[in-house]
């Protein structure tokens, strides 16, 4: 009954969304703040009759607003049903095992190898340096073999460590211009340096973004990509060979409203960064190692504890964090940054428990 393709797949496992009790959820990097209040106002007066009609398959109005925000052209912008969907299109459109393996860091967003298996793209995971930074030299070198492309989040997940713009420029200058480099900027708004300003100069640079984290709209499912018109056209060909209407009518409208509320955005981002810095410093004071994060999460460990122990102990106390049962990072947990009072509660628990 099943295709051979399907039988070979191991799907991505999303972080738990439990219903058994109310948890303090610090496990899936959701934003603790409600999204822009302009959305509530929109929903109150939204006429459901609009939903009779299919959405604009080009999402032109939303793409124009995104383009304006980043001072680029509308043909530099693609939108999709979450950046996960965009990444799956990117893998399909740009990576071909005929030209070599796809390169990504050993510890990174665990969806990347899943897309590779889905599209049968061979890949190589490049070990991180001992300080958990990306080894860009090794990623370019690829053991002396050609690669068909490269992908990494900046800041990286689950470490939270960011590359500088200078490092990215350097990488692009040293990498073949006919191979696509994907920078997954899901967390860039929390303090990293975006590479958006480079898309004019590097036609092989594709940047993926999401409304899920910094805009507090994970439930909406909306992402966007920035790149050269050539890359964006390829993503439209991919989408239109799969589903013309990936982004719903209401979703497009909410995205347009969210991206224009700059005051909401600046305030909430500042609060999360403040809570991250507070939590990181306090936790270090309790004897934990905290990797330097530019994201809305921190990757932390304490000598003598495994990630699983920390996770299970906190879960009993009604707090969810995420651990990775993978050699090399088994002693870490990834903790999403919530409100300052959430982080204070977690600090209290950690002090008492460990
Ligand atoms: C959350 C996340 C995404 C997915 O974002 P969606 O828009 O919610 O699909 C992509 N990449 C990384 C690294 C993420 O952490």
């Amino acid at each position: 009954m099943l295709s051979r393709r399907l039988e070979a797949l191991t799907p991505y496992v999303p972080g738990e969304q439990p219903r058994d009790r109310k948890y303090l959820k610090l496990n899936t990097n959701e934003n603790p703040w409600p999204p822009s209040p302009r959305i509530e106002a929109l929903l109150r007066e939204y006429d459901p009759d609009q939903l009779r009609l299919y959405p604009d398959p080009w999402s032109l109005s939303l793409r124009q607003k995104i383009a304006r925000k980043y001072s680029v052209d509308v043909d530099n912008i693609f939108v999709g049903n979450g950046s996960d969907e965009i990444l799956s299109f990117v893998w399909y459109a740009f990576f071909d095992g005929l030209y070599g393996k796809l390169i990504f860091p050993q510890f990174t967003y665990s969806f990347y190898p899943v897309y590779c298996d889905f599209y049968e793209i061979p890949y190589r995971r490049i070990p991180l340096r001992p300080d958990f930074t990306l080894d860009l030299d090794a990623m370019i070198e690829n053991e002396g073999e050609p690669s068909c492309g490269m992908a990494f989040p900046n800041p990286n997940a689950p470490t939270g460590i960011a590359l500088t713009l200078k490092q990215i420029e350097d990488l692009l200058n040293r990498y073949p211009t006919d191979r696509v480099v994907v920078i997954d900027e899901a967390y860039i708004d929390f303090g990293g340096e975006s590479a958006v300003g480079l898309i004019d100069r590097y036609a092989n640079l594709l940047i993926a973004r999401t409304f899920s984290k910094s805009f507090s709209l994970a439930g909406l499912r909306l992402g966007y990509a920035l790149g050269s018109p050539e890359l964006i056209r390829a993503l439209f060909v991919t989408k239109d060979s799969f589903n013309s209407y990936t982004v719903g009518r209401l979703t497009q409208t909410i995205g347009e409203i969210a991206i224009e509320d700059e005051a909401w955005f600046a305030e909430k981002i500042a609060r999360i960064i403040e809570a991250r810095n507070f939590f990181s410093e306090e936790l270090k004071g309790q004897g934990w190692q905290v990797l330097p994060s530019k994201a809305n999460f921190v990757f932390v460990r304490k000598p003598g504890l495994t990630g699983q122990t920390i996770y299970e102990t906190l879960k009993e106390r009604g707090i969810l964090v995420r651990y990775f049962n993978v050699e090399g990072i088994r002693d870490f947990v990834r903790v999403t940054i919530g409100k300052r009072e959430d982080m204070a509660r977690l600090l209290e628990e950690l002090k008492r428990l460990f």
Side-chain angles (χ1 to χ4, degrees):
M1 202 152 79
L2 304 179
S3 68
R4 281 170 303 159
R5 280 191 307 272
L6 186 116
E7 287 188 325
L9 291 183
T10 314
Y12 175 77
V13 184
E16 25 176 358
Q17 299 287 0
R19 290 173 211 289
D20 55 330
R21 60 182 272 197
K22 200 164 157 27
Y23 288 95
L24 172 55
K25 268 192 92 268
L26 302 177
N27 67 329
T28 51
N29 298 342
E30 288 141 330
N31 191 312
W33 300 100
S36 164
R38 296 186 190 177
I39 297 172
E40 189 185 345
L42 165 89
L43 291 175
R44 276 183 203 289
E45 49 192 58
Y46 193 80
D47 178 3
D49 186 54
Q50 298 187 56
L51 296 175
R52 277 190 310 110
L53 305 175
Y54 280 109
D56 171 13
W58 299 96
S59 304
L60 198 59
S61 177
L62 171 60
R63 286 165 60 225
Q64 273 162 346
K65 293 212 161 94
I66 297 172
R68 201 170 308 142
K69 181 179 165 79
Y70 295 103
S71 307
V72 297
D73 291 334
V74 68
D75 59 0
N76 293 121
I77 306 289
F78 183 78
V79 296
N81 186 25
S83 71
D84 284 342
E85 181 191 72
I86 295 176
L87 292 171
S88 86
F89 291 166
V90 165
W91 257 241
Y92 185 84
F94 305 123
F95 302 141
D96 189 330
L98 186 62
Y99 305 114
K101 290 179 180 152
L102 176 66
I103 302 303
F104 48 83
Q106 179 174 14
F107 301 124
T108 195
Y109 188 34
S110 31
F111 229 131
Y112 299 164
V114 175
Y115 298 131
C116 284
D117 292 341
F118 191 88
Y119 295 120
E120 301 182 357
I121 300 160
Y123 59 91
R124 174 170 282 137
R125 298 165 173 274
I126 306 293
L128 302 186
R129 294 215 195 85
D131 63 356
F132 295 95
T133 56
L134 301 194
D135 189 342
L136 295 179
D137 293 330
M139 289 172 72
I140 295 168
E141 178 60 22
N142 184 28
E143 301 186 8
E145 289 174 18
S147 52
C148 71
M150 190 185 282
F152 54 87
N154 188 42
N156 193 20
T159 63
I161 298 174
L163 295 170
T164 64
L165 193 53
K166 169 91 180 48
Q167 286 177 297
I168 288 169
E169 238 183 305
D170 225 54
L171 166 85
L172 291 164
N173 287 334
R174 293 168 57 201
Y175 196 64
T177 53
D178 60 350
R179 299 284 188 269
V180 171
V181 174
V182 176
I183 305 184
D184 182 348
E185 292 192 341
Y187 301 104
I188 198 73
D189 294 322
F190 300 102
E193 293 181 280
S194 174
V196 166
L198 301 179
I199 60 169
D200 280 347
R201 267 189 288 147
Y202 299 92
N204 61 330
L205 172 61
L206 198 282
I207 295 175
R209 292 282 196 112
T210 177
F211 280 78
S212 296
K213 279 76 182 230
S214 52
F215 289 94
S216 202
L217 289 167
L220 187 66
R221 308 309 302 133
L222 184 61
Y224 52 110
L226 302 101
S228 61
E230 186 190 350
L231 299 186
I232 298 303
R233 266 196 305 276
L235 292 176
F236 272 105
V237 171
T238 310
K239 170 182 83 78
D240 292 328
S241 308
F242 169 84
N243 173 5
S244 308
Y245 305 109
T246 52
V247 182
R249 188 174 269 272
L250 184 54
T251 301
Q252 292 185 29
T253 306
I254 292 175
E256 286 178 40
I257 281 179
I259 204 151
E260 290 195 317
D261 195 348
E262 288 173 7
W264 176 93
F265 190 81
E267 191 220 319
K268 296 306 185 275
I269 296 283
R271 287 199 186 202
I272 290 169
I273 291 175
E274 196 276 327
R276 178 184 72 210
N277 296 343
F278 158 73
F279 181 70
S280 300
E281 288 315 308
E282 293 287 320
L283 202 57
K284 284 184 210 164
Q286 292 185 26
W288 291 69
Q289 184 189 5
V290 181
L291 298 189
S293 171
K294 289 269 177 5
N296 68 338
F297 58 84
V298 287
F299 206 44
V300 302
R301 63 179 166 184
K302 186 169 190 182
L305 298 175
T306 65
Q308 186 170 358
T309 304
I310 301 165
Y311 159 81
E312 283 170 358
T313 314
L314 285 174
K315 187 169 181 181
E316 279 170 28
R317 305 291 306 153
I319 301 176
L320 287 181
V321 296
R322 190 142 191 213
Y323 75 100
F324 300 85
N325 202 2
V326 180
E327 185 59 36
I329 52 170
R330 216 167 251 142
D331 51 346
F332 280 93
V333 285
R334 189 194 68 189
V335 181
T336 302
I337 302 299
K339 298 179 184 175
R340 189 184 164 108
E341 65 256 35
D342 301 334
M343 306 325 287
R345 177 178 155 203
L346 175 57
L347 283 164
E348 278 305 308
E349 292 285 358
L350 290 171
K351 193 190 284 179
R352 218 171 42 74
L353 294 166
F354 305 112

